[in-house]
Amino acid sequence: DGLTDRTYNDPAWDIRGLDGTRIPDEELPFRQVLDSGEPVEAVRHSVVRPDGERRILEVTGTPLFDDTGALEGAVFALTDVTGQFEYERELERYETFVEASSDMVSVVDENGTITYESPVVREVLGYEPEELVGRSAFEFIHPDDVEAVEEYFVQNIEESERVHRIEVRFRDSDGEWQWVELRARVELDTPAIEGVIVNSSDITERKAYERRLSTLHDATRRIIDAESKRAVAEIAVEAARELLDFSLPSVWYPPDDRTGLAL
């Protein structure tokens, strides 16, 4: 009743666009309907309430005409969409961050179903993001790693604490297993997310390097302990095949007179 019998611009509301700039009177949805006789739908702007709080309103207006077709007024519906607007802004900021990240970023629900996948998955695993949405993340995990991943997610969700990284094998679009490092953060209560954010880094090359280094260390230890030339040769051949991917690795020794080489 504080507004009854007062005009739409009395008192002079501090009405601004969503970017914070003041909206001229002739561009306000109320004035547009009255001047043009045309409806407006879902126009958003901000307004300051009497208590000083700025809110976001969504305005829809419909002109009213008398029997002669003359404009005699308008009906407006104003909806407070501040919460929705803040949610959309938060989602936009999150999506901008995700698209700029070099990691794969996934959102999964508490059952492990993928609800969002970032575009980076194309480069790393060869999938289109929409191929993964709606599917269980566990179906792409190596069978030997599933139990560890399940325990990892249970600890994150039920205990609501950040767990350190976990390394798992993930099947790519060609059916090959790629190593990724997962870091999960629970955001089930965040309206813009409502899930668990999983950052995944491709560590396939690092794991291959670690495997080669381990093989080299193991071969060196075994050679030191070897009791014959033949044993040394067998260890060297095995290491060369695994480290260098040689199909026919061989070891040649010089004879006593050192005039040549013998297998």
Side-chain angles (χ1 to χ4, degrees):
D1 58 359
L3 295 178
T4 303
D5 297 328
R6 302 174 75 170
T7 62
Y8 71 91
N9 58 355
D10 175 27
W13 302 100
D14 183 19
I15 300 177
R16 295 179 181 268
L18 301 183
D19 60 358
T21 58
R22 188 179 295 277
I23 302 177
D25 182 78
E26 63 273 13
E27 295 181 11
L28 291 175
F30 312 99
R31 189 73 266 163
Q32 289 183 38
V33 174
L34 295 174
D35 288 346
S36 68
E38 298 291 332
V40 297
E41 184 175 356
V43 177
R44 289 186 177 184
H45 61 64
S46 69
V47 65
V48 176
R49 300 195 318 183
D51 62 4
E53 182 180 0
R54 184 170 293 278
R55 308 293 291 181
I56 305 297
L57 300 181
E58 188 171 86
V59 182
T60 295
T62 302
L64 297 177
F65 302 94
D66 61 19
D67 294 339
T68 66
L71 181 69
E72 63 176 1
V75 174
F76 290 93
L78 288 76
T79 305
D80 186 338
V81 294
T82 305
Q84 180 180 349
F85 176 75
E86 292 174 349
Y87 165 83
E88 292 170 353
R89 290 285 296 273
E90 183 179 357
L91 187 60
E92 288 175 0
R93 286 194 295 270
Y94 174 71
E95 289 177 344
T96 300
F97 166 76
V98 166
E99 291 174 0
S101 173
S102 60
D103 287 349
M104 294 178 290
V105 181
S106 314
V107 178
V108 300
D109 64 18
E110 57 187 1
N111 297 316
T113 300
I114 300 171
T115 60
Y116 172 83
E117 186 63 54
S118 68
V120 179
V121 73
R122 294 192 192 100
E123 303 171 20
V124 179
L125 298 175
Y127 294 107
E128 290 298 322
E130 56 270 19
E131 290 183 70
L132 303 182
V133 174
R135 300 173 69 175
S136 172
F138 293 105
E139 68 178 273
F140 299 95
I141 302 295
H142 193 284
D144 293 342
D145 299 334
V146 169
E147 184 177 353
V149 175
E150 288 176 342
E151 292 177 356
Y152 176 80
F153 274 92
V154 166
Q155 189 172 0
N156 272 277
I157 293 173
E158 292 187 354
E159 299 181 12
S160 297
E161 65 179 39
R162 186 172 300 181
V163 180
H164 294 296
R165 309 170 188 219
I166 183 174
E167 298 176 355
V168 302
R169 285 159 289 185
F170 201 96
R171 189 177 68 248
D172 65 18
S173 60
D174 295 324
E176 301 293 330
W177 295 109
Q178 306 295 335
W179 279 98
V180 296
E181 182 180 74
L182 306 182
R183 303 181 305 283
R185 187 172 74 251
V186 178
E187 297 289 353
L188 292 170
D189 297 328
T190 302
I193 301 172
E194 296 182 336
V196 179
I197 301 176
V198 183
N199 284 70
S200 305
S201 303
D202 182 6
I203 59 170
T204 302
E205 289 187 6
R206 191 188 84 194
K207 295 296 289 187
Y209 170 78
E210 292 174 353
R211 185 174 61 253
R212 291 193 297 268
L213 190 60
S214 176
T215 299
L216 183 59
H217 286 170
D218 180 65
T220 302
R221 179 185 56 79
R222 292 169 58 200
I223 286 175
I224 292 174
D225 295 335
E227 298 179 353
S228 67
K229 284 186 176 182
R230 181 177 182 83
V232 170
E234 289 176 347
I235 295 169
V237 166
E238 179 184 342
R241 182 181 293 112
E242 185 170 347
L243 288 171
L244 305 175
D245 198 28
F246 288 172
S247 58
L248 292 172
S250 305
V251 175
W252 296 74
Y253 286 106
D256 293 339
D257 59 7
R258 298 187 175 274
T259 59
L261 293 174
L263 182 62

